Amino acid sequence: MTPTTAPSTTAPSTTAPGTTAPGTTAPRTEEPTRAIGEIERLARRIRLRAVQMVAPHGFGYLGQALSSAEAVATLRTRFLRPGTDRFVCSPGHYVITAYAAAAEAGELSEQELSRYGQDGSDLEAIGTERTPGTDLTCGSLAQGLSGGAGFALADRLKGVEGTRRTFVLVSDGEVEEGQTWEAALYAGHHRLGDLVVLLDANDSQVDGPVSSITTIEPLAEKWRAFGWHAEDVDGHDPAQLLDALGRAVTDPRPSVVIARTSTTHGLSCLPPDADGHFIKLPAELAALALRELEDDRA
């Protein structure tokens, strides 16, 4: 399929969306409006691609794509510079979102995408060291932020700090693990300002709602206590994501954008008791989901 609107690969502005750029006298109102439209379209395409990938199997990590679609779409359309910046997908099962976004950017073919999750395919359902579309992904949870901090530190040691950023997608389930906080402590202490975390807070993990397993709140305050710039936003609102990421990429500290999301967002046909961590998608429900997302695109 051809994307309705190709994601922008323009280098991000140093001015946060919606603010006045240096040397100008009027707010830049048209650009955020156009960006929001592009993000919304790409997010729908990510969801559609994810359903198409999961449907042949009848189940899979669809909820992760539904929850992170807007965050990844915002990153892809306005902030991530292909060939310059790095993208780390810490929770390996979220790689379905990375595949969908890469396909929309023309970085993966239709044939490659159609083999998602099949034996021998490079597009495995849980990312590995050979996963395309990412610079690092982790099968075991909570390792990605350590890798991201390593990338940022390596750039400093090479003398290229400030020339590229490392974006790390993290899940709220990973915040239950100590390695995430060790990496956050290290990055905050060393002020790794080229490191930006997108934290998908969908309150879902394999054992049930994160909030019923471990108390991780207050998230923003905890990251700030570790020396991070932290913002807490509606993860399905492109305007909030644009503003928060715009501030994150210019702050001299490492930054985290906590995106509050739902694992069923964007698909009203899913049953209310759907297990967002690993959604069952029999043929009849898959057809409804495809129809809903294709109708939204029209």
Side-chain angles (χ1 to χ4, degrees):
M1 294 185 183
T2 302
T4 53
T5 302
S8 168
T9 57
T10 304
S13 168
T14 56
T15 303
T19 64
T20 303
T24 64
T25 57
R28 298 164 57 196
T29 56
E30 292 183 4
E31 169 62 15
T33 301
R34 182 166 68 89
I36 288 170
E38 290 182 9
I39 292 165
E40 290 174 341
R41 285 189 290 273
L42 180 55
R44 285 196 297 271
R45 295 288 302 176
I46 287 172
R47 290 188 172 94
L48 178 58
R49 293 274 191 185
V51 170
Q52 291 169 338
M53 282 187 274
V54 168
H57 308 282
F59 51 80
Y61 297 113
L62 175 59
Q64 289 74 13
L66 299 181
S67 65
S68 64
E70 280 82 9
V72 172
T74 303
L75 188 62
R76 273 284 193 163
T77 57
R78 283 298 180 274
F79 296 97
L80 182 71
R81 298 167 294 183
T84 299
D85 297 325
R86 298 186 183 92
F87 175 65
V88 176
C89 181
S90 183
H93 52 307
Y94 272 73
V95 78
I96 185 172
T97 315
Y99 293 152
E104 287 300 303
E107 297 165 9
L108 291 176
S109 69
E110 298 293 335
Q111 183 178 9
E112 289 174 306
L113 212 65
S114 69
R115 288 184 47 74
Y116 166 80
Q118 297 181 15
D119 289 343
S121 172
D122 286 339
L123 271 61
E124 297 171 275
I126 296 179
T128 69
E129 65 278 359
R130 65 177 185 175
T131 294
T134 68
D135 292 284
L136 175 67
T137 188
C138 308
S140 296
L141 294 180
Q143 296 180 346
L145 185 53
S146 296
F151 282 143
L153 180 62
D155 287 341
R156 175 178 292 175
L157 295 175
K158 290 177 183 176
V160 296
E161 186 176 20
T163 63
R164 65 177 172 184
R165 303 185 183 100
T166 297
F167 295 97
V168 185
L169 179 63
V170 171
S171 67
D172 54 354
E174 292 180 294
V175 177
E176 295 177 288
E177 302 200 32
Q179 185 168 344
T180 295
W181 294 113
E182 291 175 21
L185 181 66
Y186 184 90
H189 173 77
H190 290 281
R191 291 180 68 85
L192 299 178
D194 292 339
L195 183 64
V196 178
V197 168
L198 274 170
L199 199 164
D200 184 42
N202 61 19
D203 196 30
S204 174
Q205 59 130 288
V206 68
D207 293 323
V210 172
S211 55
S212 71
I213 307 297
T214 304
T215 300
I216 60 174
E217 301 295 346
L219 278 176
E221 286 85 344
K222 287 179 179 176
W223 287 87
R224 290 175 187 137
F226 279 56
W228 286 59
H229 167 76
E231 301 206 24
D232 202 322
V233 303
D234 179 345
H236 298 302
D237 186 330
Q240 291 189 32
L241 288 164
L242 277 167
D243 286 343
L245 277 168
R247 289 185 287 269
V249 297
T250 58
D251 199 285
R253 297 165 292 178
S255 297
V256 57
V257 175
I258 301 160
R260 304 289 178 171
T261 63
S262 165
T263 55
T264 59
H265 187 86
L267 271 184
S268 62
C269 66
L270 293 177
D273 60 346
D275 177 4
H277 181 78
F278 201 70
I279 291 178
K280 294 179 180 178
L281 203 69
E284 184 176 334
L285 183 55
L288 288 174
L290 290 170
R291 190 176 309 124
E292 180 177 341
L293 291 167
E294 287 168 348
D295 288 346
D296 281 349
R297 185 184 54 176

